[in-house]
Amino acid sequence: MGMALAPLTTVALSNVAPEHTGAASGVLATVNQTGNAVGVALVGIVFYRAASITAGFQASVVALVVLEIALALLIQLLPRR
């Protein structure tokens, strides 16, 4: 997360007008925290629904890989500069 979060924050805030920087930073932090909480909750649901710890770990990893691939594909739809 450390290698991705700092550059992501820089890119996300690079085009914000100086007078809106504080609000944009607050919104970015809120969305980041909310995404983290939802992600942990969803992985927890997948993990604890499994029959064993091993099956739960495997199901969680599969769910995360599928989510990462879906996000990588969705990122391609973002407008280019």
Side-chain angles (χ1 to χ4, degrees):
M1 280 185 59
M3 290 177 57
L5 222 45
L8 182 62
T9 302
T10 302
V11 169
L13 296 177
S14 65
N15 292 328
V16 176
E19 61 269 13
H20 299 298
T21 304
S25 176
V27 168
L28 182 63
T30 301
V31 169
N32 188 5
Q33 292 296 321
T34 303
N36 286 337
V38 170
V40 167
L42 291 176
V43 170
I45 289 170
V46 170
F47 183 80
Y48 287 111
R49 290 184 69 135
S52 68
I53 291 176
T54 305
F57 181 75
Q58 290 173 342
S60 297
V61 169
V62 169
L64 287 173
V65 168
V66 169
L67 179 62
E68 290 296 325
I69 291 171
L71 288 174
L73 294 173
L74 285 173
I75 287 172
Q76 300 305 313
L77 299 175
L78 289 174
R80 305 276 185 219
R81 287 192 209 196

PDB file of all heavy atoms in Angstrom, residues 47-67:
ATOM      1  N   PHE A  47     -14.051 -15.177   3.754  1.00  0.00           N
ATOM      2  CA  PHE A  47     -13.207 -16.033   4.585  1.00  0.00           C
ATOM      3  C   PHE A  47     -14.029 -16.832   5.597  1.00  0.00           C
ATOM      4  O   PHE A  47     -13.858 -18.046   5.730  1.00  0.00           O
ATOM      5  CB  PHE A  47     -12.172 -15.184   5.319  1.00  0.00           C
ATOM      6  CG  PHE A  47     -11.216 -15.983   6.149  1.00  0.00           C
ATOM      7  CD1 PHE A  47     -10.141 -16.608   5.556  1.00  0.00           C
ATOM      8  CD2 PHE A  47     -11.399 -16.108   7.512  1.00  0.00           C
ATOM      9  CE1 PHE A  47      -9.241 -17.349   6.316  1.00  0.00           C
ATOM     10  CE2 PHE A  47     -10.518 -16.848   8.282  1.00  0.00           C
ATOM     11  CZ  PHE A  47      -9.441 -17.467   7.679  1.00  0.00           C
ATOM     12  N   TYR A  48     -14.933 -16.183   6.301  1.00  0.00           N
ATOM     13  CA  TYR A  48     -15.645 -16.861   7.381  1.00  0.00           C
ATOM     14  C   TYR A  48     -16.803 -17.735   6.909  1.00  0.00           C
ATOM     15  O   TYR A  48     -17.342 -18.515   7.682  1.00  0.00           O
ATOM     16  CB  TYR A  48     -16.119 -15.854   8.424  1.00  0.00           C
ATOM     17  CG  TYR A  48     -14.962 -15.339   9.237  1.00  0.00           C
ATOM     18  CD1 TYR A  48     -14.527 -14.031   9.130  1.00  0.00           C
ATOM     19  CD2 TYR A  48     -14.267 -16.182  10.093  1.00  0.00           C
ATOM     20  CE1 TYR A  48     -13.450 -13.564   9.863  1.00  0.00           C
ATOM     21  CE2 TYR A  48     -13.182 -15.737  10.828  1.00  0.00           C
ATOM     22  CZ  TYR A  48     -12.782 -14.427  10.707  1.00  0.00           C
ATOM     23  OH  TYR A  48     -11.713 -13.980  11.426  1.00  0.00           O
ATOM     24  N   ARG A  49     -17.184 -17.639   5.652  1.00  0.00           N
ATOM     25  CA  ARG A  49     -18.225 -18.522   5.125  1.00  0.00           C
ATOM     26  C   ARG A  49     -17.654 -19.873   4.711  1.00  0.00           C
ATOM     27  O   ARG A  49     -18.396 -20.815   4.452  1.00  0.00           O
ATOM     28  CB  ARG A  49     -18.933 -17.872   3.952  1.00  0.00           C
ATOM     29  CG  ARG A  49     -19.805 -16.706   4.375  1.00  0.00           C
ATOM     30  CD  ARG A  49     -20.539 -16.191   3.208  1.00  0.00           C
ATOM     31  NE  ARG A  49     -21.521 -17.200   2.814  1.00  0.00           N
ATOM     32  CZ  ARG A  49     -22.760 -16.949   2.509  1.00  0.00           C
ATOM     33  NH1 ARG A  49     -23.191 -15.719   2.533  1.00  0.00           N
ATOM     34  NH2 ARG A  49     -23.579 -17.902   2.152  1.00  0.00           N
ATOM     35  N   ALA A  50     -16.344 -19.979   4.638  1.00  0.00           N
ATOM     36  CA  ALA A  50     -15.703 -21.231   4.214  1.00  0.00           C
ATOM     37  C   ALA A  50     -15.719 -22.246   5.348  1.00  0.00           C
ATOM     38  O   ALA A  50     -15.870 -21.904   6.523  1.00  0.00           O
ATOM     39  CB  ALA A  50     -14.270 -20.954   3.781  1.00  0.00           C
ATOM     40  N   ALA A  51     -15.547 -23.502   4.969  1.00  0.00           N
ATOM     41  CA  ALA A  51     -15.621 -24.596   5.942  1.00  0.00           C
ATOM     42  C   ALA A  51     -14.388 -24.689   6.834  1.00  0.00           C
ATOM     43  O   ALA A  51     -14.474 -25.116   7.972  1.00  0.00           O
ATOM     44  CB  ALA A  51     -15.835 -25.913   5.208  1.00  0.00           C
ATOM     45  N   SER A  52     -13.224 -24.295   6.298  1.00  0.00           N
ATOM     46  CA  SER A  52     -12.001 -24.390   7.083  1.00  0.00           C
ATOM     47  C   SER A  52     -11.139 -23.154   6.825  1.00  0.00           C
ATOM     48  O   SER A  52     -11.413 -22.373   5.919  1.00  0.00           O
ATOM     49  CB  SER A  52     -11.227 -25.651   6.715  1.00  0.00           C
ATOM     50  OG  SER A  52     -10.730 -25.550   5.391  1.00  0.00           O
ATOM     51  N   ILE A  53     -10.083 -23.029   7.607  1.00  0.00           N
ATOM     52  CA  ILE A  53      -9.198 -21.876   7.448  1.00  0.00           C
ATOM     53  C   ILE A  53      -8.513 -21.916   6.085  1.00  0.00           C
ATOM     54  O   ILE A  53      -8.415 -20.902   5.403  1.00  0.00           O
ATOM     55  CB  ILE A  53      -8.165 -21.835   8.598  1.00  0.00           C
ATOM     56  CG1 ILE A  53      -8.877 -21.503   9.902  1.00  0.00           C
ATOM     57  CG2 ILE A  53      -7.066 -20.831   8.300  1.00  0.00           C
ATOM     58  CD1 ILE A  53      -7.997 -21.535  11.117  1.00  0.00           C
ATOM     59  N   THR A  54      -8.076 -23.088   5.672  1.00  0.00           N
ATOM     60  CA  THR A  54      -7.409 -23.215   4.374  1.00  0.00           C
ATOM     61  C   THR A  54      -8.351 -22.866   3.237  1.00  0.00           C
ATOM     62  O   THR A  54      -7.995 -22.110   2.325  1.00  0.00           O
ATOM     63  CB  THR A  54      -6.863 -24.644   4.181  1.00  0.00           C
ATOM     64  OG1 THR A  54      -6.013 -24.959   5.274  1.00  0.00           O
ATOM     65  CG2 THR A  54      -6.119 -24.775   2.884  1.00  0.00           C
ATOM     66  N   ALA A  55      -9.556 -23.393   3.284  1.00  0.00           N
ATOM     67  CA  ALA A  55     -10.541 -23.084   2.246  1.00  0.00           C
ATOM     68  C   ALA A  55     -10.907 -21.596   2.274  1.00  0.00           C
ATOM     69  O   ALA A  55     -11.085 -20.978   1.225  1.00  0.00           O
ATOM     70  CB  ALA A  55     -11.790 -23.940   2.436  1.00  0.00           C
ATOM     71  N   GLY A  56     -10.984 -21.038   3.459  1.00  0.00           N
ATOM     72  CA  GLY A  56     -11.287 -19.614   3.579  1.00  0.00           C
ATOM     73  C   GLY A  56     -10.189 -18.754   2.993  1.00  0.00           C
ATOM     74  O   GLY A  56     -10.457 -17.759   2.304  1.00  0.00           O
ATOM     75  N   PHE A  57      -8.941 -19.127   3.255  1.00  0.00           N
ATOM     76  CA  PHE A  57      -7.814 -18.384   2.705  1.00  0.00           C
ATOM     77  C   PHE A  57      -7.812 -18.479   1.182  1.00  0.00           C
ATOM     78  O   PHE A  57      -7.633 -17.477   0.488  1.00  0.00           O
ATOM     79  CB  PHE A  57      -6.503 -18.910   3.279  1.00  0.00           C
ATOM     80  CG  PHE A  57      -5.305 -18.174   2.776  1.00  0.00           C
ATOM     81  CD1 PHE A  57      -5.004 -16.904   3.248  1.00  0.00           C
ATOM     82  CD2 PHE A  57      -4.481 -18.736   1.818  1.00  0.00           C
ATOM     83  CE1 PHE A  57      -3.900 -16.212   2.775  1.00  0.00           C
ATOM     84  CE2 PHE A  57      -3.376 -18.054   1.342  1.00  0.00           C
ATOM     85  CZ  PHE A  57      -3.085 -16.785   1.820  1.00  0.00           C
ATOM     86  N   GLN A  58      -8.016 -19.679   0.665  1.00  0.00           N
ATOM     87  CA  GLN A  58      -8.030 -19.855  -0.784  1.00  0.00           C
ATOM     88  C   GLN A  58      -9.166 -19.069  -1.429  1.00  0.00           C
ATOM     89  O   GLN A  58      -8.971 -18.409  -2.460  1.00  0.00           O
ATOM     90  CB  GLN A  58      -8.145 -21.334  -1.134  1.00  0.00           C
ATOM     91  CG  GLN A  58      -6.899 -22.121  -0.811  1.00  0.00           C
ATOM     92  CD  GLN A  58      -7.077 -23.612  -0.995  1.00  0.00           C
ATOM     93  OE1 GLN A  58      -8.197 -24.115  -1.048  1.00  0.00           O
ATOM     94  NE2 GLN A  58      -5.963 -24.341  -1.072  1.00  0.00           N
ATOM     95  N   ALA A  59     -10.342 -19.119  -0.837  1.00  0.00           N
ATOM     96  CA  ALA A  59     -11.483 -18.379  -1.382  1.00  0.00           C
ATOM     97  C   ALA A  59     -11.234 -16.880  -1.329  1.00  0.00           C
ATOM     98  O   ALA A  59     -11.583 -16.147  -2.259  1.00  0.00           O
ATOM     99  CB  ALA A  59     -12.755 -18.743  -0.610  1.00  0.00           C
ATOM    100  N   SER A  60     -10.623 -16.403  -0.255  1.00  0.00           N
ATOM    101  CA  SER A  60     -10.328 -14.981  -0.126  1.00  0.00           C
ATOM    102  C   SER A  60      -9.322 -14.522  -1.171  1.00  0.00           C
ATOM    103  O   SER A  60      -9.481 -13.456  -1.776  1.00  0.00           O
ATOM    104  CB  SER A  60      -9.784 -14.669   1.273  1.00  0.00           C
ATOM    105  OG  SER A  60     -10.744 -14.963   2.254  1.00  0.00           O
ATOM    106  N   VAL A  61      -8.290 -15.316  -1.401  1.00  0.00           N
ATOM    107  CA  VAL A  61      -7.282 -14.961  -2.409  1.00  0.00           C
ATOM    108  C   VAL A  61      -7.911 -14.944  -3.803  1.00  0.00           C
ATOM    109  O   VAL A  61      -7.662 -14.028  -4.587  1.00  0.00           O
ATOM    110  CB  VAL A  61      -6.076 -15.925  -2.342  1.00  0.00           C
ATOM    111  CG1 VAL A  61      -5.157 -15.736  -3.531  1.00  0.00           C
ATOM    112  CG2 VAL A  61      -5.312 -15.718  -1.050  1.00  0.00           C
ATOM    113  N   VAL A  62      -8.737 -15.922  -4.105  1.00  0.00           N
ATOM    114  CA  VAL A  62      -9.409 -15.953  -5.405  1.00  0.00           C
ATOM    115  C   VAL A  62     -10.299 -14.722  -5.563  1.00  0.00           C
ATOM    116  O   VAL A  62     -10.294 -14.073  -6.620  1.00  0.00           O
ATOM    117  CB  VAL A  62     -10.221 -17.254  -5.577  1.00  0.00           C
ATOM    118  CG1 VAL A  62     -11.135 -17.179  -6.783  1.00  0.00           C
ATOM    119  CG2 VAL A  62      -9.287 -18.444  -5.691  1.00  0.00           C
ATOM    120  N   ALA A  63     -11.047 -14.377  -4.520  1.00  0.00           N
ATOM    121  CA  ALA A  63     -11.921 -13.194  -4.583  1.00  0.00           C
ATOM    122  C   ALA A  63     -11.102 -11.923  -4.802  1.00  0.00           C
ATOM    123  O   ALA A  63     -11.488 -11.052  -5.597  1.00  0.00           O
ATOM    124  CB  ALA A  63     -12.746 -13.085  -3.303  1.00  0.00           C
ATOM    125  N   LEU A  64      -9.967 -11.801  -4.138  1.00  0.00           N
ATOM    126  CA  LEU A  64      -9.125 -10.617  -4.309  1.00  0.00           C
ATOM    127  C   LEU A  64      -8.521 -10.542  -5.707  1.00  0.00           C
ATOM    128  O   LEU A  64      -8.449  -9.467  -6.303  1.00  0.00           O
ATOM    129  CB  LEU A  64      -8.027 -10.602  -3.248  1.00  0.00           C
ATOM    130  CG  LEU A  64      -8.493 -10.271  -1.838  1.00  0.00           C
ATOM    131  CD1 LEU A  64      -7.350 -10.456  -0.850  1.00  0.00           C
ATOM    132  CD2 LEU A  64      -9.024  -8.860  -1.771  1.00  0.00           C
ATOM    133  N   VAL A  65      -8.106 -11.672  -6.244  1.00  0.00           N
ATOM    134  CA  VAL A  65      -7.535 -11.683  -7.596  1.00  0.00           C
ATOM    135  C   VAL A  65      -8.601 -11.287  -8.626  1.00  0.00           C
ATOM    136  O   VAL A  65      -8.348 -10.474  -9.516  1.00  0.00           O
ATOM    137  CB  VAL A  65      -6.928 -13.069  -7.923  1.00  0.00           C
ATOM    138  CG1 VAL A  65      -6.606 -13.203  -9.400  1.00  0.00           C
ATOM    139  CG2 VAL A  65      -5.700 -13.308  -7.079  1.00  0.00           C
ATOM    140  N   VAL A  66      -9.795 -11.833  -8.482  1.00  0.00           N
ATOM    141  CA  VAL A  66     -10.885 -11.480  -9.397  1.00  0.00           C
ATOM    142  C   VAL A  66     -11.205  -9.993  -9.298  1.00  0.00           C
ATOM    143  O   VAL A  66     -11.375  -9.312 -10.320  1.00  0.00           O
ATOM    144  CB  VAL A  66     -12.138 -12.343  -9.106  1.00  0.00           C
ATOM    145  CG1 VAL A  66     -13.354 -11.819  -9.847  1.00  0.00           C
ATOM    146  CG2 VAL A  66     -11.863 -13.794  -9.477  1.00  0.00           C
ATOM    147  N   LEU A  67     -11.243  -9.467  -8.095  1.00  0.00           N
ATOM    148  CA  LEU A  67     -11.520  -8.043  -7.901  1.00  0.00           C
ATOM    149  C   LEU A  67     -10.423  -7.184  -8.517  1.00  0.00           C
ATOM    150  O   LEU A  67     -10.710  -6.183  -9.180  1.00  0.00           O
ATOM    151  CB  LEU A  67     -11.668  -7.728  -6.410  1.00  0.00           C
ATOM    152  CG  LEU A  67     -11.941  -6.274  -6.063  1.00  0.00           C
ATOM    153  CD1 LEU A  67     -13.264  -5.826  -6.658  1.00  0.00           C
ATOM    154  CD2 LEU A  67     -11.940  -6.080  -4.567  1.00  0.00           C
TER     155      LEU A  67
END
